[in-house]
Amino acid sequence: GIDYESFAPEKYIKNIKKPLFIIASANDIKVNGHDAYALFQKANEPKDFWKANAQHDVYKDLPEEYARRIVAFLDKMVH
């Protein structure tokens, strides 16, 4: 069988040495938002986290806020 533990993101998140923006959905029934925040806590700086008041597809539910937050994060990373 497949050893799924060997693919666990929490084991590899520290290897990411680039800016990281994690987006989680508060009302997601497919992905647990607590898992996303646990990854965020283990990630290197610079990093940001947004728990959107949305379903699984944050962009579909909140397109303007999604775009604004992405642009703000990128702007912060280049200035």
Side-chain angles (χ1 to χ4, degrees):
I2 296 174
D3 176 17
Y4 289 104
E5 282 298 310
S6 67
F7 299 105
E10 56 274 358
K11 290 184 175 183
Y12 299 101
I13 192 82
K14 283 287 187 192
N15 296 338
I16 298 173
K17 308 292 186 198
K18 304 291 183 193
L20 184 66
F21 186 23
I22 296 178
I23 301 171
S25 300
N27 306 309
D28 198 329
I29 60 172
K30 297 179 183 180
V31 179
N32 186 334
H34 298 295
D35 293 341
Y37 191 72
L39 283 176
F40 169 76
Q41 289 179 308
K42 293 179 180 184
N44 296 308
E45 294 287 346
K47 62 185 180 179
D48 204 351
F49 182 83
W50 173 36
K51 189 167 189 176
N53 187 19
Q55 299 294 321
H56 182 72
D57 188 344
V58 177
Y59 180 74
K60 179 182 172 190
D61 291 350
L62 303 168
E64 293 86 14
E65 186 173 5
Y66 183 94
R68 181 183 60 76
R69 287 181 181 257
I70 294 287
V71 169
F73 177 75
L74 294 173
D75 188 54
K76 185 168 55 171
M77 293 303 112
V78 298
H79 293 106

